[in-house]
Amino acid sequence: SNYTRYSKTWSSPKNPYEKLRLSEEIKTINKYGLKNKKELWRIQFFLSKLRKSSEIIIHRENSKKSVKSNSFAILWFCYKFGFIKESTSNLEIVIKVDVQAILSRRLQTIVKLRGLAKTSHEARLLIQHKRIKYLHKL
């Protein structure tokens, strides 16, 4: 029972030198204070997996197969982590979740928005050096 799970957590883009994508990535990294592009790609990969599973469930629901428990699990996951605001039974809302919705939920971004740090990079340092407490935890 000591098996290691080898599952992919990020994927690099197919064309690594696309000018428009590169400029958008740099803007996002600077806005949210990410360490490198791998962090951004990890979130994009997570979103693609979430969207793919939602689309599969929507397709199965349209073909009259009962998969209510899976759709409820995905909706509850998104509602619990604040990706969607209202709890509805519509999976099309999950498909519309974007990278900014996830990045704005990070502690680093919240610290910057509350004014505890001037920049998101400074917020990252404060969290890393354990100067910020969250729910009485470091």
Side-chain angles (χ1 to χ4, degrees):
S1 70
N2 292 337
Y3 294 113
T4 305
R5 281 189 67 196
Y6 294 103
S7 61
K8 199 167 184 182
T9 58
W10 64 280
S11 66
S12 59
K14 291 181 182 177
N15 186 0
Y17 302 110
E18 187 180 352
K19 188 173 184 179
L20 181 64
R21 186 191 45 75
L22 281 173
S23 63
E24 290 297 319
E25 284 177 350
I26 295 295
K27 287 177 188 173
T28 306
I29 286 170
N30 288 335
K31 182 178 179 183
Y32 293 103
L34 300 175
K35 181 180 162 189
N36 52 27
K37 290 185 180 181
K38 192 174 181 179
E39 285 187 349
L40 180 64
W41 294 340
R42 185 179 337 133
I43 293 168
Q44 289 172 344
F45 185 71
F46 166 74
L47 266 178
S48 69
K49 284 171 58 174
L50 189 68
R51 286 179 184 144
K52 191 180 223 177
S53 60
S54 301
E55 288 171 355
I56 289 170
I57 291 173
I58 288 171
H59 179 69
R60 286 183 185 163
E61 284 178 353
N62 291 341
S63 65
K64 306 293 187 266
K65 292 182 180 176
S66 175
V67 284
K68 289 290 182 189
S69 63
N70 289 344
S71 63
F72 179 75
I74 290 176
L75 286 169
W76 176 249
F77 176 81
C78 291
Y79 180 72
K80 181 173 71 171
F81 288 105
F83 304 147
I84 57 176
K85 301 295 181 207
E86 64 277 344
S87 59
T88 62
S89 62
N90 194 359
L91 276 174
E92 276 91 24
I93 295 172
V94 176
I95 296 173
K96 294 177 184 175
V97 175
D98 58 344
V99 173
Q100 283 76 24
I102 294 176
L103 289 174
S104 64
R105 300 269 311 145
R106 297 177 67 193
L107 180 61
Q108 180 178 337
T109 308
I110 294 169
V111 166
K112 181 190 171 215
L113 292 177
R114 294 264 171 100
L116 298 172
K118 293 178 184 176
T119 64
S120 52
H121 295 286
E122 183 184 356
R124 185 181 189 95
L125 281 173
L126 289 173
I127 294 165
Q128 212 169 17
H129 293 292
K130 299 181 178 161
R131 304 286 194 265
I132 302 292
K133 285 188 177 182
Y134 178 72
L135 294 176
H136 305 292
K137 297 176 184 175
L138 290 177

